[in-house]
Every structure is written in structure tokens, then in C-alpha cells.
Amino acid sequence: RSPLLDKDENTANARLIAAAPDLLAALEALIIDLGDTFEGFKVKREVIENFDSVKQARAAIAKAKE
């Protein structure tokens, strides 16, 4: 079965590619908002940067911008 002939997978990939700029912008905004929110509770940014989810988000952002 050729991936070139798998219409469902190609459609899903096309949707993901189309959504990628919006997903990247949302992830970047979420990281900023998260930092601002935690700083409002007097949590140091270093603590936030050590969250696994923040590390994963930053890695994904970096990968998207390579």
C-alpha cells in the first residue's frame, strides 16, 4: 500500500500542515501567558522553565523555526 495513495492519511497530513502556523502561534502565546501567570503568583521563571511540558513546548517551537 503506497502512502501516496492513502487519501485519509494525506488529508490528515494536509490539515496538520495547514494548522501548523496557528498551532505554533498558540504554543508561543501559551508559553508567554504561562510565565506571566506564574510570575503573578511570585513563582520564579526558572521554576516554570523546568516543567517538562515547557521544555517540550520550547523544543517544538525551536524545531518549527529551524
Side-chain angles (χ1 to χ4, degrees), residues 4-39:
L4 296 175
L5 300 178
D6 189 341
K7 183 180 177 197
D8 291 337
E9 184 175 355
N10 288 341
T11 299
N13 287 340
R15 287 183 179 144
L16 183 57
I17 290 167
D22 294 334
L23 291 168
L24 177 59
L27 190 55
E28 290 174 320
L30 184 62
I31 291 293
I32 291 168
D33 290 346
L34 181 65
D36 292 346
T37 298
F38 275 84
E39 283 180 0

